[in-house]
């Protein structure tokens, strides 16, 4: 998802330069590295430069660790905005707790147009009048929320019951990624598209072999 958005911004005629901030693990991925070589990418900032504790003792400690990382990331973000003074800011995601406080800070500190992708934010706060009110307050003037499905856009407008800045940007589909000639090939027996965080684990521990073996055991007439 992040790579698709970055590629779209690079290809846009109205975008002259990009300062990119991602987690260190993403900046080291080969697909991102290739895009970073583009001349429009002026600076690259890798966040969360520390060894993660793989033996988290409890759910509570993991929440503290994640919250700490999130706060540190936003302070790094604000620091770089003071330096870069961007005309537009694209935020790829947000939670409904800590992040929303920092979004208000961004809104009032910078005159840049701010765009944020709302993945499951509205779904997760639909029963909270307080959180909906905060998002309603944010999504005005120079702040715009981006929805990836038509259904999410419609439901968001129903919940807010007020005119706010929301736009619809269709999520990339299979045809955007795989050539239609390959997709329709009769030679292809299995056709899997593995996206997002799960793709890291697809090729580990022979998971793909287990998956295909399980599919093989299905009845031939079963969809």
């Amino acid at each position: 998802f992040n790579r698709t958005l970055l590629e779209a911004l690079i290809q846009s005629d109205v975008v002259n330069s990009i300062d990119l901030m991602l987690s260190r693990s993403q900046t080291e991925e080969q697909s991102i590295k290739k895009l970073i070589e583009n001349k429009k990418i002026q600076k690259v900032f890798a966040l969360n430069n520390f060894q993660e504790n793989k033996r988290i003792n409890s759910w509570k400690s993991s929440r503290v660790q994640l919250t700490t990382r999130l706060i540190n990331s936003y302070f790094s973000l604000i620091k770089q905005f003071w330096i870069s003074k961007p005309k537009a800011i694209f935020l790829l995601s947000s939670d409904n707790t800590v992040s929303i406080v920092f979004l208000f800070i961004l809104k009032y500190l910078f005159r840049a147009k701010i765009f944020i992708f709302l993945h499951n934010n509205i779904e997760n706060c639909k029963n909270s009048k307080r959180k909906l009110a905060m998002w309603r307050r944010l999504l005005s003037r120079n702040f715009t929320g981006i929805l990836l499905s038509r259904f999410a856009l419609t439901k968001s407008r129903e919940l807010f019951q007020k005119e706010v800045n929301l736009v619809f940007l269709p999520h990339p589909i299979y045809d955007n990624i795989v050539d239609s000639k390959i997709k329709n090939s009769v030679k292809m027996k299995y056709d899997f598209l593995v996206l997002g965080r799960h793709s890291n684990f697809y090729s580990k521990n022979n998971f793909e072999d287990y998956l295909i073996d399980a599919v093989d055991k299905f009845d031939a007439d079963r969809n």
Side-chain angles (χ1 to χ4, degrees):
F1 175 83
N2 295 354
R3 184 192 181 282
T4 302
L5 176 62
L6 180 58
E7 190 171 25
L9 289 172
I10 288 173
Q11 293 177 3
S12 172
D13 292 334
V14 299
V15 176
N16 297 318
S17 66
I18 300 171
D19 289 351
L20 178 67
M21 300 186 74
L22 288 173
S23 65
R24 181 166 298 279
S25 60
Q26 288 199 38
T27 60
E28 293 174 352
E29 287 183 7
Q30 198 59 39
S31 61
I32 297 290
K33 278 185 174 180
K34 290 180 180 179
L35 289 180
I36 289 175
E37 295 172 1
N38 189 280
K39 62 182 181 181
K40 284 190 177 183
I41 307 292
Q42 301 294 309
K43 298 176 184 177
V44 178
F45 304 97
L47 299 177
N48 302 326
N49 185 21
F50 63 93
Q51 293 292 323
E52 290 191 45
N53 181 8
K54 295 183 179 180
R55 299 180 63 185
I56 297 174
N57 295 324
S58 68
W59 176 86
K60 191 173 183 179
S61 64
S62 68
R63 292 292 296 176
V64 171
Q65 189 180 56
L66 288 172
T67 302
T68 302
R69 287 175 57 188
L70 193 61
I71 292 173
N72 288 337
S73 295
Y74 270 105
F75 275 121
S76 298
L77 195 69
I78 291 173
K79 178 182 177 181
Q80 294 306 327
F81 287 166
W82 278 116
I83 298 171
S84 301
K85 294 180 172 55
K87 293 181 179 179
I89 299 168
F90 283 83
L91 299 173
L92 301 180
S93 64
S94 166
D95 71 316
N96 291 325
T97 53
V98 176
S99 294
I100 205 166
V101 174
F102 279 93
L103 293 178
F104 274 105
I105 295 174
L106 295 182
K107 181 181 176 70
Y108 293 110
L109 280 183
F110 302 99
R111 293 186 178 181
K113 292 182 178 179
I114 301 175
F115 301 88
I116 183 162
F117 284 82
L118 303 174
H119 297 272
N120 56 352
N121 296 84
I122 310 303
E123 167 68 21
N124 289 342
C125 69
K126 63 184 179 183
N127 296 319
S128 171
K129 292 183 179 180
R130 178 179 59 84
K131 290 179 180 179
L132 282 175
M134 293 178 75
W135 277 112
R136 189 184 299 114
R137 180 79 179 272
L138 271 175
L139 297 172
S140 60
R141 295 184 182 178
N142 63 332
F143 207 105
T144 300
I146 301 175
L147 282 307
L148 299 169
S149 75
R150 181 71 67 182
F151 174 79
L153 176 67
T154 302
K155 294 303 293 184
S156 297
R157 285 176 173 163
E158 287 177 6
L159 284 168
F160 286 132
Q161 298 179 349
K162 183 181 178 181
E163 188 64 30
V164 292
N165 294 334
L166 294 174
V167 295
F168 173 51
L169 181 65
H171 197 290
I173 58 173
Y174 194 66
D175 288 338
N176 300 133
I177 303 170
V178 179
D179 187 277
S180 59
K181 293 180 181 178
I182 298 175
K183 186 184 67 171
N184 296 324
S185 171
V186 293
K187 297 178 183 179
M188 186 176 288
K189 184 177 180 182
Y190 297 112
D191 193 2
F192 294 106
L193 178 64
V194 186
L195 294 174
R197 68 191 66 177
H198 312 292
S199 59
N200 287 333
F201 305 102
Y202 183 73
S203 60
K204 293 181 180 180
N205 301 319
N206 296 320
F207 174 74
E208 72 276 25
D209 293 334
Y210 290 120
L211 178 61
I212 293 174
D213 182 57
V215 173
D216 262 334
K217 293 177 181 177
F218 275 124
D219 205 31
D221 297 327
R222 189 170 180 174
N223 290 329

